[in-house]
Amino acid sequence: MTVALETIVNLSKRRGFVFQSSEIYGGIRSTYDYGPLGAALLRNVKDAWWRSMVQYRDNVVGLDSAIIQARTVWQASGHEDTFTDPLVECRNCNARHRLDKLDDPDRCPTCGKSGTFTEPMQFNLMFRTHTGPVESDENMVYLRPETAQGIFINYENVRRTNRMQLPFGIAQVGKSFRNEITPGQFVFRTREFDQMEMEFFCRPEEASRWFAYWQEQRLNWYLDLGMDKDKLRIRPHEEDELSHYAAETVDIEFAFPWGWDELEGLANRTDFDLKAHSEVSGQDLRYYDAEADERFFPYVIEPAAGATRLTFAFLMDAYHTEEVGGETRVVLKLHPHLAPYQVAVLPLSKKPELLGPASELADRLRRHYMLEFDVTQSIGRRYRRQDEIGTPYVVTYDFDSLDDSAVTVRDRDTMAQDRVSIDRLTEYLDERLKLI
Ligand code: ATP
């Protein structure tokens, strides 16, 4: 099903996934804070990416580089000159727009007038700040607009210290910053966001093959995490869309409420970055192939995704409503690896004889799963809350549990209930959650 943007915004606010940032001061536009459930979901998205890109592979390693790097990095990479978007301003209402994202390049979407735009100017998206107490040109630095350059400048450090041989990848997850002209659509486009990027270094003649391989791997990652295949597609870039460094690019797109839009980009960055950093730094970043006794610049295939944008897409994809017993049930069908809580424990009543053993059980299960222990409200309302936040399994501890040492486990999607012995509970849950 397709869900309206407001529905997700409301759910996010009501249940504590995403809050407007600085809300008590009236909010700052297009900046968001992730609440308890959002932080858990975002972390799970990043962990799922890291597992599939680093942990499960023997030729990809991780990195965590600095957000503030030498200014020369961005001069060498071409970002200082070309990391720009075309900006137009409406002479009638003074609204600023990104020209390449307008449906009609002549008409202002804010006031509806045509022919009122100024000539486009190239606006650089990098945020600037200064290191140290003096604000001068010499100590001006940028906040990184992508995590990729941190990987390129550490390519030789990583290769040498970890004895990496082609083909190999370096992956990184972290904050990036872009002073977007028109952020918007909730957390889809923000000025501060989390990126998950991997640079895969290979022999130039093998680049096309690896480009195809990573497309398939990345698309399967979404499918394995339960995303609806009809909401995903791969779109190759047109010649005039290609970044300054890319020979070939495709986007993995998702069917957002406003139409198909980018989730992730895959680019063949060629040897552009390593060559540029070699030239500017004077360090030889060529790869030495001992067998063939030759030196060359590897090519690079890059899957680059936004963790915050993906979190939003997973939320949209998971949102379902169903009619159950004449009532509407809202259920987030999140994959168990992504759900903020894998398990909830609900004592049937607040009576101390139940509360004590139920909370002991919850404490034991917490060692295995992200878990919520909920004693408020009626059991029906508590089930509905867990459905709405996507908890795959709810364990109810009732009066019979005192005698039979068993609990009722309810499955979020089928609503089927099983009576499970407490001794076997983690085994039962592990099997279903596929955490092992
Ligand atoms: P666009 O042209 O839409 O501004 P882009 O194609 O330049 O973006 P990339 O540089 O390919 O974006 O970035 C890789 C990924 O990082 C994107 O697919 C997206 O998931 C994420 N991303 C980029 N910019 C933002 C942003 N402002 N807010 C949230 N996520 C972003």
Side-chain angles (χ1 to χ4, degrees):
M1 63 180 275
T2 308
V3 50
L5 183 60
E6 306 89 78
T7 310
I8 295 299
V9 175
N10 290 339
L11 172 78
S12 297
K13 203 173 160 168
R14 193 172 66 251
R15 292 303 192 187
F17 281 94
V18 180
F19 303 121
Q20 175 73 58
S21 186
S22 315
E23 196 178 67
I24 61 166
Y25 292 106
I28 165 167
R29 202 182 140 225
S30 298
T31 305
Y32 296 93
D33 298 333
Y34 288 75
L37 300 186
L41 175 57
L42 178 60
R43 172 184 286 258
N44 290 344
V45 168
K46 293 189 224 177
D47 285 350
W49 186 89
W50 191 266
R51 276 195 302 273
S52 96
M53 300 300 271
V54 181
Q55 187 183 335
Y56 297 164
R57 297 174 192 274
D58 71 353
N59 62 352
V60 180
V61 290
L63 180 77
D64 198 332
S65 72
I67 286 170
I68 296 174
Q69 298 161 12
R71 181 177 173 184
T72 352
V73 171
W74 307 106
Q75 290 169 330
S77 68
H79 283 76
E80 190 163 292
D81 287 338
T82 56
F83 195 64
T84 55
D85 279 335
L87 167 73
V88 288
E89 190 170 332
C90 172
R91 289 198 201 86
N92 181 51
C93 72
N94 298 329
R96 297 194 175 99
H97 294 286
R98 192 173 142 183
L99 186 62
D100 60 325
K101 292 281 175 189
L102 293 177
D103 293 333
D104 177 350
D106 204 36
R107 187 172 158 276
C108 173
T110 308
C111 68
K113 288 237 155 96
S114 289
T116 54
F117 283 147
T118 54
E119 280 299 303
M121 65 165 263
Q122 289 302 323
F123 175 73
N124 195 299
L125 300 182
M126 287 194 289
F127 275 101
R128 287 165 214 206
T129 187
H130 295 87
T131 51
V134 184
E135 289 195 12
S136 69
D137 252 8
E138 286 89 76
N139 60 19
M140 195 276 279
V141 288
Y142 297 110
L143 302 186
R144 68 177 178 201
E146 61 172 30
T147 63
Q149 294 306 321
I151 296 178
F152 295 124
I153 59 174
N154 280 291
Y155 161 80
E156 188 55 20
N157 284 337
V158 174
R159 191 203 58 75
R160 187 169 32 82
T161 54
N162 289 268
R163 306 178 311 273
M164 305 305 288
Q165 293 189 343
L166 291 187
F168 71 92
I170 306 176
Q172 165 153 239
V173 175
K175 290 265 185 197
S176 289
F177 302 82
R178 295 182 188 180
N179 196 4
E180 300 280 0
I181 298 167
T182 39
Q185 319 282 38
F186 196 39
V187 296
F188 178 82
R189 191 183 302 284
T190 48
R191 296 196 167 108
E192 173 182 339
F193 55 98
D194 279 298
Q195 272 193 319
M196 309 187 288
E197 297 190 296
M198 197 268 294
E199 309 304 317
F200 192 77
F201 302 90
C202 63
R203 303 185 73 91
E205 63 275 17
E206 292 179 356
S208 281
R209 187 164 69 76
W210 287 114
F211 186 68
Y213 169 84
W214 284 109
Q215 266 182 65
E216 197 195 345
Q217 292 285 304
R218 292 302 305 143
L219 190 63
N220 285 341
W221 182 77
Y222 292 96
L223 298 173
D224 289 347
L225 288 171
M227 210 177 248
D228 179 355
K229 70 175 181 349
D230 295 332
K231 289 200 197 125
L232 287 168
R233 73 171 190 190
I234 288 192
R235 186 184 67 84
H237 274 208
E238 306 287 337
E239 195 74 14
D240 63 351
E241 272 182 286
L242 292 176
S243 311
H244 61 276
Y245 49 75
E248 233 184 324
T249 303
V250 297
D251 286 345
I252 298 181
E253 294 191 328
F254 179 77
F256 285 97
W258 57 91
W260 290 103
D261 216 333
E262 176 176 342
L263 269 187
E264 157 163 6
L266 275 113
N268 174 353
R269 291 181 79 128
T270 67
D271 56 4
F272 179 89
D273 302 270
L274 287 183
K275 231 180 201 166
H277 287 303
S278 279
E279 268 162 34
V280 178
S281 69
Q283 310 248 336
D284 186 356
L285 298 179
R286 285 177 304 169
Y287 181 83
Y288 177 62
D289 181 338
E291 237 168 71
D293 189 27
E294 55 167 355
R295 276 180 204 283
F296 60 92
F297 285 107
Y299 265 39
V300 175
I301 307 301
E302 173 196 75
T308 39
R309 187 178 288 184
L310 264 51
T311 296
F312 177 40
F314 278 117
L315 257 184
M316 298 219 131
D317 184 59
Y319 188 92
H320 286 79
T321 53
E322 295 169 354
E323 287 303 310
V324 179
E327 278 188 39
T328 305
R329 171 172 100 114
V330 174
V331 52
L332 278 189
K333 296 190 173 177
L334 285 167
H335 189 284
H337 289 180
L338 300 183
Y341 298 115
Q342 278 100 43
V343 179
V345 173
L346 317 179
L348 189 66
S349 113
K350 275 189 198 158
K351 294 230 165 76
E353 64 262 41
L354 284 196
L355 217 48
S359 76
E360 264 172 40
L361 174 64
D363 284 344
R364 259 186 288 137
L365 293 178
R366 264 181 225 291
R367 298 281 168 148
H368 302 260
Y369 319 108
M370 271 297 281
L371 176 147
E372 188 171 63
F373 183 64
D374 188 3
V375 291
T376 58
Q377 304 180 315
S378 72
I379 194 80
R381 291 182 80 135
R382 282 183 277 165
Y383 278 153
R384 277 201 291 283
R385 171 184 157 78
Q386 296 304 331
D387 285 345
E388 212 185 0
I389 65 175
T391 309
Y393 291 96
V394 175
V395 172
T396 305
Y397 194 95
D398 55 26
F399 289 100
D400 290 340
S401 307
L402 295 171
D403 298 325
D404 67 0
S405 293
V407 285
T408 302
V409 183
R410 176 181 178 272
D411 179 302
R412 175 194 69 196
D413 297 341
T414 62
M415 292 186 288
Q417 305 200 356
D418 274 345
R419 193 76 185 165
V420 182
S421 146
I422 291 174
D423 291 348
R424 280 199 52 241
L425 191 55
T426 49
E427 195 188 320
Y428 175 95
L429 291 168
D430 285 350
E431 235 168 60
R432 286 159 180 79
L433 292 165
K434 298 193 176 58
L435 294 179
I436 49 170

